[in-house]
Amino acid sequence: MVYLLGIESSCDETAAAVAAFDGERKTVLADVVASQVDIHKKYGGVVPEIASRAHTEALTRITKQALAESGIALSQLTAVAVTNTPGLIGALLTGVNFAKSLAFANALPLVPVDHIKAHIAAAYYAFPDLKPPFLALTVSGGHTSLMKVDSFTDFVTVGCTRDDAAGEAFDKVGRVMGLPYPGGKEMDRLAAIGDPHAFPFPSAAVAGDNLDFSFSGVKTAVINTLNTMSQKGIPFPTADIAASFTNTFTRSIVKKLDMAFDRYPLDTLVVSGGVAANSHLRRAVKELCDRKGIRLCMPPIALCGDNGAMVCSQGYYEYRTGKRGDTSLNAFANDEF
Ligand code: KG4
Ligand code: ZN
């Protein structure tokens, strides 16, 4: 049996989890997430310096809590896995330095984990028979990427955003409409009661034979529409704006996924990351997969946002391939993709 402690601090969630691995059987024993949303709310976005400080304050407490809830003692752990890329550099460093100290003080192997790969690996808990190769769409507050997952540890980026991340666009539109931060969840709720065809916003699917996205154009179009309304004293039709933006977003994603499956003969899709909690995206992607005969694997909503269990899951495969960090392990704002 392999017992892993997973540490995550790449953005505004401090997370620690303990999971047990027995061959392909994986069990989350404890998964503790300390969200900083209330701290960053008043600034309308994540303030990196404040995030780093809050991680430093929370890491010891939530790790102790995760270990206590799991019933696994530090001495029983097989290794410590930690997110070291991509993310906010200061935030990442707090988790990396904490994990380093814990690992080396307790003579445990340290396993560096890529945050995007971890988001994808969250799906293995819900779908125990899921195995590469497959395509994976990761949509979160900081990242939007389409990857060909060739093995548990080999990934090739086949498409990505050329500017803003999907969640960033949701949150910025939400902020201009005065929705509570982060706006994604409230945009989801409003979109269900609005008219998706009220505003013809531009597509986020980059034209041509590529699998890339660009969210800055649609984001700017929505914000310009809102500013014009504001100048004319017209109250924001928040539900219609949310529904139209979401419609453009889901159609753009579905278009590129459709192209991706024509290009790569794979039969499985994993959709992960915070924005994968979006109910409209989940429905649209399911329709596409049903139409194309593709198996769809989406982690449960609780495992879509940042968490430590996903770090354990990817950490397990990295551990098995022998990937290790030593005392010189660094953090990187951008990953190798
Ligand atoms: O994966 P995540 O927790 O953090 C990053 O790695 O960035 O993703 C957070 C993002 C935020 O932008 C948040 O607004 C968005 O996920 N989000 C949603 C929904 N729930 C969370 N976006 C759209 N619809 C949702 N239901
Ligand atoms: Zn994330």
Side-chain angles (χ1 to χ4, degrees):
M1 192 74 96
V2 169
Y3 292 109
L4 290 187
L5 170 68
I7 305 283
E8 159 62 41
S9 70
S10 66
C11 189
D12 60 346
E13 249 95 34
T14 320
V18 179
F21 301 87
D22 182 7
E24 291 307 317
R25 274 190 44 212
K26 308 164 183 65
T27 315
V28 180
L29 302 178
D31 191 14
V32 183
V33 180
S35 174
Q36 301 177 6
V37 161
D38 287 341
I39 300 173
H40 299 290
K41 217 173 219 163
K42 56 176 173 289
Y43 306 103
V46 180
V47 182
E49 198 58 36
I50 295 176
S52 307
R53 176 178 285 258
H55 284 308
T56 304
E57 286 167 2
L59 275 162
T60 304
R61 177 172 48 85
I62 63 139
T63 301
K64 276 187 176 166
Q65 190 183 334
L67 285 166
E69 284 179 14
S70 72
I72 300 295
L74 253 178
S75 58
Q76 289 173 277
L77 287 176
T78 311
V80 178
V82 63
T83 302
N84 77 321
T85 187
L88 300 171
I89 191 66
L92 285 164
L93 279 167
T94 64
V96 167
N97 286 327
F98 177 81
K100 242 191 237 182
S101 318
L102 194 69
F104 295 117
N106 292 279
L108 291 167
L110 178 66
V111 184
V113 171
D114 180 290
H115 184 76
I116 312 287
K117 294 178 184 175
H119 266 303
I120 297 168
Y124 298 130
Y125 290 114
F127 304 92
D129 59 331
L130 171 64
K131 279 190 178 62
F134 55 76
L135 278 179
L137 171 75
T138 308
V139 272
S140 74
H143 324 279
T144 304
S145 63
L146 191 52
M147 286 183 186
K148 198 158 67 68
V149 182
D150 292 332
S151 80
F152 288 110
T153 52
D154 293 307
F155 299 67
V156 180
T157 301
V158 296
C160 63
T161 180
R162 293 189 181 177
D163 38 57
D164 295 351
E168 197 181 342
F170 268 98
D171 295 345
K172 283 190 181 153
V173 168
R175 183 163 75 184
V176 177
M177 289 205 291
L179 305 183
Y181 170 83
K185 201 170 172 190
E186 182 63 3
M187 291 275 285
D188 190 351
R189 191 191 67 77
L190 285 171
I193 52 172
D195 175 2
H197 306 291
F199 298 90
F201 294 130
S203 173
V206 174
D209 188 22
N210 62 72
L211 300 173
D212 290 344
F213 302 96
S214 165
F215 292 101
S216 80
V218 53
K219 179 197 71 182
T220 307
V222 180
I223 292 172
N224 286 345
T225 303
L226 291 168
N227 287 342
T228 305
M229 286 176 175
S230 190
Q231 280 159 8
K232 292 182 179 166
I234 301 168
F236 295 152
T238 49
D240 286 349
I241 296 271
S244 300
F245 172 82
T246 303
N247 184 37
T248 298
F249 165 74
T250 54
R251 286 165 65 103
S252 308
I253 297 277
V254 165
K255 180 176 175 184
K256 291 297 178 181
L257 286 177
D258 201 350
M259 286 171 66
F261 278 101
D262 286 343
R263 189 180 288 192
Y264 302 103
L266 295 165
D267 60 4
T268 305
L269 173 68
V270 170
V271 181
S272 64
V275 184
N278 188 276
S279 60
H280 310 275
L281 177 69
R282 291 176 93 89
R283 201 174 323 116
V285 168
K286 185 171 183 321
E287 275 167 23
L288 171 80
C289 289
D290 287 348
R291 176 162 64 76
K292 291 185 88 82
I294 290 160
R295 180 187 186 202
L296 176 60
C297 299
M298 290 189 280
I301 290 182
L303 287 184
C304 282
D306 292 346
N307 63 83
M310 70 187 202
V311 179
C312 292
S313 183
Q314 185 60 27
Y316 174 61
Y317 294 107
E318 305 291 357
Y319 172 77
R320 282 205 324 198
T321 59
K323 189 169 177 189
R324 300 287 184 271
D326 61 18
T327 45
S328 67
L329 179 69
N330 207 348
F332 302 94
N334 300 307
D335 61 17
E336 76 254 35
F337 298 109

